[in-house]
Amino acid sequence: MKKIVLSGIRPTGQLHLGNYLGALQKFVRMQQEGIYDSFFFIADLHALTTQPDPALLHSNVRHIVAEYLAAGLDPDKSTIFVQSDVPEIPELYLLLNMHVGIGELMRTAAFKDKARKQLGITVSHDDDDNDVAREIIGNESNKRVNAGLLTYPTLMAVDILIQHADFVPVGKDQEQHLELTRRFARRFNSFYGVDYFKEPQNFNFGGKPVKVPGLDGSGKMGKSEGNCIYLVDEDKALRKKVMRAVTDAGPTEPNQPMAEPVENLFTLLRLVSTPDKVEFFTNAYNNCEIRYGDLKKEIAEDILKITAPIRERTKEIENDEQYLARVLKQGAEQARERAAKTLADVRGIMGITPFWK
Ligand code: TYM
């Protein structure tokens, strides 16, 4: 039996370098190894938690399938599908929610951040769980945190568990959700006294999970932070973004510790450039001879080596609606096969198999 790989990305906009280095690049490499049964999908139901414009959601789904294919995912080697094409997922989500606690969902870091954004409260990272709970329960304005956002981790766990995935290649920011998935799987197994769900793991080819920083000096690259390099950025625009990345006045003493914005540029360099370039610029920094302009130029060119071919292929594929539709139709059929089996098993385990049929 081949090990099963599964991962997804929300269609909330064009894919950025964080999505690529944290996730999509691993999808393609894992597919190419040829030893896994792989499933890659577009998490459109998850995107609904932030209430996107329907027309935009529709076009984002199409764009991301094109980006998946342009980056190297191959429908003959991987199952590529859209989450909402698998109706077994929302049904299992309802069933699994019966074993998930609201407290544990409210303590999830992503929930706390997004809930506060929905309420229009400034996000602080050292927030107290009780404060967040009070803000949500006590909020009497017409702003609300939707229940779908709270149960986001259940839906993600279902995506994974319904296909019995062994490996879930994701960036560092999704590890807490993966930990919850393992917890839900263990809880289900122990509650019903079965050995049914597996406990999935992240996959990093022996390295560490990746967190791609933004260009604004702090935090991660993210669509809502406005600090992204997109895979489809044109050469000129991309170079301009990198050249504008925040730095500092430069080191004044040998081996001076790096400020966060500079550390972030080196993180990017390590992710996209060769080890000898990393060594060259690290030495230049340590000897106080670094020129940030040169460093940024190298980073921009090395990013373009990765993104420009994907950008060009995306343009070709994106308008071939018939091809995209064929890929997704085939993917949905394949994804539903195991999903239907899992759902039937779980209904049986939970005691809702109808005896009148
Ligand atoms: P999403 O859409 O936020 O991000 C998709 C993938 O990109 C990774 N990522 C990053 N990695 C490194 N550095 C960054 N700056 C960065 N920004 C994003 C994310 O870690 C992720 O791997 N909940 C998921 C989607 C999802 C899912 C699933 C994933 C739904 N169901 C089941 C795996 C399995 C999400 O919101 O990803």
Side-chain angles (χ1 to χ4, degrees):
M1 277 284 278
K2 283 183 172 178
K3 295 268 186 201
I4 297 165
V5 174
L6 172 134
S7 195
I9 299 184
R10 280 172 308 145
T12 45
Q14 300 160 334
L15 296 186
H16 55 73
L17 198 64
N19 297 135
Y20 183 74
L21 297 172
L24 185 51
Q25 189 183 42
K26 295 197 279 187
F27 303 176
V28 177
R29 278 184 68 186
M30 292 181 90
Q31 170 193 271
Q32 277 159 352
E33 299 228 319
I35 53 172
Y36 304 108
D37 199 356
S38 27
F39 294 79
F40 300 113
F41 70 100
I42 295 161
D44 59 341
L45 298 175
H46 275 105
L48 292 177
T49 55
T50 44
Q51 300 166 340
D53 172 77
L56 206 61
L57 178 61
H58 185 85
S59 68
N60 281 339
V61 170
R62 190 169 87 176
H63 182 77
I64 292 183
V65 196
E67 289 192 301
Y68 271 8
L69 297 166
L73 290 187
D74 176 348
D76 292 331
K77 295 184 183 149
S78 298
T79 297
I80 301 168
F81 67 102
V82 178
Q83 187 184 31
S84 62
D85 274 343
V86 183
E88 289 79 7
I89 293 174
E91 187 172 341
L92 186 59
Y93 159 72
L94 183 144
L95 298 178
L96 189 64
N97 257 334
M98 305 305 166
H99 290 282
V100 171
I102 9 183
E104 60 192 340
L105 293 174
M106 285 183 87
R107 286 191 295 272
T108 312
F111 173 74
K112 288 193 283 189
D113 271 12
K114 290 201 173 124
R116 286 187 150 176
K117 273 188 194 145
Q118 288 189 358
L119 292 175
I121 296 169
T122 321
V123 178
S124 96
H125 290 281
D126 51 357
D127 50 17
D128 179 81
D129 292 340
N130 293 327
D131 289 348
V132 181
R134 262 194 300 275
E135 281 160 15
I136 293 166
I137 296 168
N139 189 286
E140 291 187 3
S141 71
N142 56 6
K143 288 187 179 143
R144 67 188 80 83
V145 176
N146 70 64
L149 188 68
L150 180 67
T151 52
Y152 185 116
T154 316
L155 184 57
M156 179 158 162
V158 166
D159 294 330
I160 298 167
L161 299 176
I162 207 164
Q163 302 293 353
H164 299 283
D166 297 280
F167 297 118
V168 182
V170 283
K172 192 164 169 39
D173 62 313
Q174 293 298 314
E175 290 217 306
Q176 193 180 23
H177 288 150
L178 213 48
E179 183 56 49
L180 279 174
T181 303
R182 289 191 283 269
R183 195 198 292 174
F184 300 159
R186 277 196 300 275
R187 186 179 297 160
F188 182 92
N189 290 348
S190 94
F191 187 89
Y192 292 106
V194 289
D195 183 15
Y196 187 68
F197 284 128
K198 292 186 211 167
E199 292 190 32
Q201 307 295 330
N202 197 351
F203 193 88
N204 294 294
F205 291 94
K208 283 194 190 146
V210 169
K211 177 183 159 191
V212 178
L215 297 172
D216 49 355
S218 70
K220 68 161 188 164
M221 186 174 289
K223 276 166 265 194
S224 54
E225 331 307 325
N227 59 6
C228 294
I229 293 171
Y230 293 101
L231 298 184
V232 292
D233 275 344
E234 292 296 336
D235 292 10
K236 209 169 141 196
L238 191 146
R239 289 193 183 106
K240 210 162 157 185
K241 280 185 184 175
V242 178
M243 294 313 287
R244 283 208 196 123
V246 176
T247 49
D248 60 11
T252 47
E253 287 167 34
N255 303 315
Q256 188 176 312
M258 287 181 193
E260 194 183 350
V262 179
E263 182 63 57
N264 284 351
L265 276 181
F266 273 88
T267 302
L268 266 181
L269 184 75
R270 276 190 293 273
L271 287 166
V272 299
S273 298
T274 53
D276 50 310
K277 262 188 216 173
V278 176
E279 199 188 328
F280 174 83
F281 283 105
T282 309
N283 288 340
Y285 181 89
N286 287 335
N287 301 332
C288 304
E289 285 165 355
I290 189 141
R291 288 152 62 140
Y292 290 136
D294 292 348
L295 169 66
K296 289 175 179 178
K297 263 188 208 144
E298 291 295 331
I299 293 176
E301 295 315 310
D302 287 335
I303 292 175
L304 278 170
K305 277 186 205 146
I306 300 172
T307 59
I310 300 178
R311 177 188 72 210
E312 295 310 310
R313 279 199 295 276
T314 303
K315 285 184 198 158
E316 286 164 26
I317 298 170
E318 196 169 18
N319 294 319
D320 192 346
E321 207 155 310
Q322 277 185 345
Y323 172 58
L324 298 179
R326 224 172 30 245
V327 168
L328 294 179
K329 191 160 173 278
Q330 173 188 319
E333 277 164 19
Q334 290 167 358
R336 287 193 70 182
E337 248 172 63
R338 194 181 278 114
K341 163 92 173 59
T342 308
L343 181 60
D345 289 347
V346 171
R347 280 172 145 260
I349 293 169
M350 292 179 78
I352 53 166
T353 311
F355 61 83
W356 55 93
K357 276 190 185 156

